Amino acid sequence: DALLQLKAQLKLATLEETQANFSVQNAMSLLNTFLGNATFDATINFELPVPLGKMELNEAELLTLALKNRPELITFERQLLEADRDIASTKADFGINAQLFASFGFAKGSEQLSEIYTNPSNEQLLNFSIGIPLVDWGKRKSAISIAQLEKEQIQNQIAQDKLNIINEIKQQILRFQRLQTEIDFLKEIKAIAEERFEISNKSFVLGNISLTDLTL
């Protein structure tokens, strides 16, 4: 019975090894695709990174750096500038308008086509006009109010987006600290499991436990 159990476990282990090798090959293929390599160099040796020590994160410093370097902040500044531009443009559209138009050319009339372009006279024109709105029935005030309301909406959205960014950063900090704690616990669990395995293996060799207990 013990021999059959060992053979069954060997088959399962062999199957798991085959599946693991397939996973490795698939990961290598994905890595090659990411690196843009047509073929994978089998001579490449991979090394595990050196484990980092426990790090204490400064939340205030991280928030300052993130809010300084996040690309969304440039978008926020652009949106506010565009809102101010729209307000200024709206005020200008309903304000005093001045137009200057100048032209210069040659003119001559004749019944003969060839004489039209012979010794023409100079013709100059200069127009200057000013438009002053007297009554707009509240149209200017309404348009400016709409532009200002749109700016307020943009400001509120930006404030909400900044809060979301800050909350996201805080969550990342908490997640990083939690993962460090989990790693410490997992190291302890691993050490305990290895010690239990050694004890169980020696007990099995001495005949104090069954193969089933050893497997468990």
Side-chain angles (χ1 to χ4, degrees), residues 2 4 11 25 80-81 90 92 109 119 121 127 130 145 154 157 174 177 180 200 205 215:
L4 292 175
K11 294 295 183 182
Q25 293 175 0
L80 291 176
L81 290 175
T90 302
N119 298 323
S121 58
N127 289 332
I130 297 178
S145 298
I154 292 174
Q157 185 61 46
L174 292 175
Q177 293 173 341
Q180 291 190 110
S200 299
V205 172
T215 303

Side-chain angles (χ1 to χ4, degrees), residues 26 71-73 83 88 97 133 140 170 181 183 187 199 214-215:
N26 186 48
E72 292 93 333
L73 297 182
N97 294 321
R140 178 177 183 271
K170 289 183 177 180
T181 303
I183 289 174
K187 287 180 179 178
I199 294 175
L214 174 65
T215 303

Side-chain angles (χ1 to χ4, degrees), residues 44-81:
I44 295 179
N45 294 321
F46 296 95
E47 295 181 0
L48 291 175
V50 178
L52 297 176
K54 196 166 186 179
M55 300 174 59
E56 295 294 334
L57 302 181
N58 188 328
E59 182 177 301
E61 181 181 0
L62 290 175
L63 286 173
T64 301
L65 290 173
L67 293 177
K68 178 181 178 182
N69 298 315
R70 289 286 290 250
E72 292 93 333
L73 297 182
I74 299 178
T75 303
F76 297 158
E77 293 179 1
R78 178 180 57 80
Q79 290 175 342
L80 291 176
L81 290 175

Side-chain angles (χ1 to χ4, degrees), residues 18-215:
T18 302
Q19 294 173 345
N21 287 330
F22 175 77
S23 298
V24 171
Q25 293 175 0
N26 186 48
M28 292 296 188
S29 177
L30 293 176
L31 179 62
N32 289 333
T33 303
F34 177 76
L35 297 177
N37 297 330
T39 57
F40 180 72
D41 187 359
T43 62
I44 295 179
N45 294 321
F46 296 95
E47 295 181 0
L48 291 175
V50 178
L52 297 176
K54 196 166 186 179
M55 300 174 59
E56 295 294 334
L57 302 181
N58 188 328
E59 182 177 301
E61 181 181 0
L62 290 175
L63 286 173
T64 301
L65 290 173
L67 293 177
K68 178 181 178 182
N69 298 315
R70 289 286 290 250
E72 292 93 333
L73 297 182
I74 299 178
T75 303
F76 297 158
E77 293 179 1
R78 178 180 57 80
Q79 290 175 342
L80 291 176
L81 290 175
E82 290 176 348
D84 291 335
R85 179 204 60 190
D86 293 341
I87 293 175
S89 177
T90 302
K91 292 180 179 179
D93 290 341
F94 292 92
I96 299 176
N97 294 321
Q99 295 181 349
L100 178 64
F101 176 79
S103 65
F104 173 80
F106 299 94
K108 185 179 180 180
S110 176
E111 295 181 356
Q112 301 295 326
L113 181 62
S114 60
E115 295 178 358
I116 293 178
Y117 296 97
T118 304
N119 298 323
S121 58
N122 293 338
E123 184 179 73
Q124 300 177 6
L125 178 66
L126 179 65
N127 289 332
F128 179 75
S129 63
I130 297 178
I132 302 176
L134 300 178
V135 179
D136 60 5
W137 309 105
K139 188 176 181 181
R140 178 177 183 271
K141 183 178 180 181
S142 176
I144 294 176
S145 298
I146 292 175
Q148 291 175 341
L149 286 175
E150 290 178 351
K151 180 182 178 180
E152 291 179 3
Q153 291 179 352
I154 292 174
Q155 289 175 330
N156 293 335
Q157 185 61 46
I158 289 175
Q160 183 64 42
D161 291 341
K162 283 186 176 180
L163 288 177
N164 292 336
I165 292 175
I166 292 174
N167 183 62
E168 177 188 347
I169 296 169
K170 289 183 177 180
Q171 292 299 321
Q172 291 287 357
I173 294 173
L174 292 175
R175 188 177 297 111
F176 183 81
Q177 293 173 341
R178 177 177 59 82
L179 288 174
Q180 291 190 110
T181 303
E182 288 183 5
I183 289 174
D184 292 337
F185 280 121
L186 290 173
K187 287 180 179 178
E188 295 177 3
I189 293 173
K190 178 184 177 184
I192 294 173
E194 290 175 345
E195 185 178 359
R196 287 189 60 194
F197 174 74
E198 292 296 330
I199 294 175
S200 299
N201 191 47
K202 292 179 180 179
S203 299
F204 174 73
V205 172
L206 296 175
N208 295 330
I209 62 174
S210 65
L211 179 61
T212 303
D213 294 330
L214 174 65
T215 303

